Amino acid sequence: GENVEQHPSTLSVQEGDSAVIKCTYSDSASNYFPWYKQELGKGPQLIIDIRSNVGEKKDQRIAVTLNKTAKHFSLHITETQPEDSAVYFCAASVRGSQGNLIFGKGTKLSVKP
Amino acid sequence: GAGVSQSPSNKVTEKGKDVELRCDPISGHTALYWYRQSLGQGLEFLIYFQGNSAPDKSGLPSDRFSAERTGGSVSTLTIQRTQQEDSAVYLCASSLEWGGETQYFGPGTRLLVL
């Protein structure tokens, strides 16, 4: 089955710097890759997603890149702000199948003012 | 509009008791998923429902866990004879359709088994 690995487990940056979180997946059939942000005591919130027919997607300060050949995808946050502090999860699924997401173990991002 | 809601938000129970967790998906969403998040861990898939089809129970960790979805809407996850290792956050998500569509999560139920 699918296995998703996520690195780093913790990341600390200064406000205004960039943050990069990387994930690898094992199932070449996976074709949908969402990223979720989870704040303390809340459920995960989708922040961006990418499908396998696209190499890069950007939404304001957030971007995701996908390398299908290497089976890895990354989240890039530019101009980080203290409110970006949270746990970020990557996930993968096979669109067209049952669609249940396989998650990485999360990255705790701390943005220091 | 209204998102996914879950109740209760917190539940403390004694080992051996049964618990029921409820999920109200976004109106019109046909797919519903349950996940479990243990302390410091990622999210583990438990079960999913698509419309009126039989659920995929492949992720349930033991036969003490069961779930149902009535009328294609509200879902209840039941844990019988709870154990301390069942302590976790139980998250529900729904999506418009089956198969890789965007999943929207509820706030979760935090279960503590003493």
Side-chain angles (χ1 to χ4, degrees):
Chain A
E2 175 66 281
N3 181 53
V4 176
E5 294 193 356
Q6 181 172 347
H7 300 279
S9 57
T10 60
L11 179 59
S12 182
V13 300
Q14 287 293 134
E15 182 177 0
D17 287 350
S18 295
V20 180
I21 302 171
K22 299 182 179 181
C23 289
T24 60
Y25 61 98
S26 60
D27 189 347
S28 57
S30 290
N31 52 16
Y32 174 62
F33 308 92
W35 285 88
Y36 285 85
K37 175 183 180 182
Q38 187 175 30
E39 297 176 327
L40 196 62
K42 298 183 179 180
Q45 299 296 313
L46 180 74
I47 55 172
I48 195 167
D49 58 10
I50 192 167
R51 303 191 187 278
S52 60
N53 58 344
V54 176
E56 183 175 359
K57 183 177 179 180
K58 189 173 181 179
D59 183 4
Q60 300 184 337
R61 297 185 297 106
I62 294 173
V64 58
T65 58
L66 171 65
N67 183 326
K68 288 173 56 180
T69 302
K71 290 190 281 190
H72 67 70
F73 55 113
S74 300
L75 177 71
H76 303 254
I77 306 174
T78 59
E79 302 172 23
T80 53
Q81 303 168 2
E83 51 265 38
D84 294 329
S85 296
V87 178
Y88 291 81
F89 291 96
C90 63
S93 74
V94 180
R95 192 160 182 255
S97 72
Q98 64 192 43
N100 58 288
L101 297 170
I102 305 301
F103 285 86
K105 293 196 179 298
T107 296
K108 184 177 181 180
L109 173 64
S110 299
V111 181
K112 299 180 179 179
Chain B
V4 177
S5 61
Q6 293 185 245
S7 61
S9 54
N10 293 282
K11 177 70 176 180
V12 180
T13 191
E14 294 179 348
K15 177 182 175 180
K17 296 286 182 67
D18 298 352
V19 296
E20 286 190 351
L21 313 179
R22 177 187 168 106
C23 172
D24 283 90
I26 294 172
S27 177
H29 280 195
T30 62
L32 186 149
Y33 302 80
W34 283 98
Y35 293 86
R36 177 170 70 175
Q37 184 174 29
S38 302
L39 186 63
Q41 297 297 310
L43 288 82
E44 171 191 9
F45 166 74
L46 296 177
I47 187 171
Y48 99 102
F49 298 86
Q50 169 56 32
N52 295 318
S53 302
D56 179 344
K57 305 178 182 181
S58 60
L60 295 179
S62 80
D63 58 8
R64 296 186 296 104
F65 288 72
S66 63
E68 63 178 19
R69 189 179 184 192
T70 53
S73 180
V74 172
S75 177
T76 301
L77 177 69
T78 301
I79 309 174
Q80 296 179 310
R81 306 181 302 282
T82 51
Q83 303 294 313
Q84 289 183 332
E85 59 263 29
D86 298 335
S87 297
V89 177
Y90 290 83
L91 291 156
C92 174
S94 71
S95 65
L96 190 58
E97 295 178 358
W98 167 89
E101 299 300 325
T102 300
Q103 295 183 24
Y104 298 90
F105 282 81
T109 293
R110 284 148 192 80
L111 174 66
L112 177 61
V113 182
L114 300 177

